[in-house]
């Protein structure tokens, strides 16, 4: 009985890939929509916590501080990168102007440079590996 869920999963993946392959040629990437979505996804939160950790704050405390910053941003309907430095400093005096470079989407993506990460070099490597398999 332990095999049935495995076979069901394999069938589901096979069907999903079949649909995806047919759908891929018609996908249109709307860069403006992606940029808008970045404003309120708060994906920068982990990077902000890492930023505070590099300033000497234990990560668990940095995580808590950033959680409060995110709640503030949500309440005020602002993306994190649109908060002023004074707004950030309400939560921690260690925030400084350099945080704005850390939370740029391009910086966040580039920092994910481990195997399988989102950095441009990792994406190029993944594409090259996929092309070799084809």
């Amino acid at each position: 009985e332990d095999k049935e869920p495995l076979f069901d999963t394999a069938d589901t993946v096979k069907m999903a890939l079949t649909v995806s392959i047919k759908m891929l040629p018609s996908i249109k990437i709307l860069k403006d929509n992606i940029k808008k979505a970045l404003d309120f996804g708060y994906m920068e939160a982990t990077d902000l916590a890492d930023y505070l950790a590099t300033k000497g704050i234990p990560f668990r405390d940095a995580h808590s501080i950033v959680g409060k910053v995110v709640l503030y941003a949500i309440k005020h309907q602002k993306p994190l990168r649109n908060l002023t430095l004074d707004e950030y400093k309400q939560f921690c005096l260690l925030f400084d102007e350099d945080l704005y470079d850390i939370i740029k989407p391009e910086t966040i993506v580039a920092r994910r440079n481990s195997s399988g990460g989102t950095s441009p070099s990792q994406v190029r490597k993944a594409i090259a590996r996929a092309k070799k398999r084809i």
Side-chain angles (χ1 to χ4, degrees), residues 56-113:
I57 295 179
F59 187 81
R60 67 182 172 279
D61 297 334
H63 184 274
S64 176
I65 291 166
V66 172
K68 292 173 186 170
V69 172
V70 170
L71 289 174
Y72 174 88
I74 291 169
K75 180 180 178 184
H76 292 87
Q77 298 180 346
K78 290 175 131 181
L80 291 176
R81 66 184 157 278
N82 288 357
L83 296 179
T84 66
L85 186 55
D86 287 337
E87 287 174 304
Y88 274 107
K89 286 189 178 275
Q90 291 176 51
F91 301 95
C92 181
L93 293 175
L94 293 178
F95 281 121
D96 207 348
E97 287 288 338
D98 60 343
L99 77 88
Y100 295 105
D101 287 330
I102 298 294
I103 62 174
K104 287 180 183 174
E106 300 85 5
T107 304
I108 293 168
V109 169
R111 287 185 65 215
R112 304 313 191 262
N113 197 31

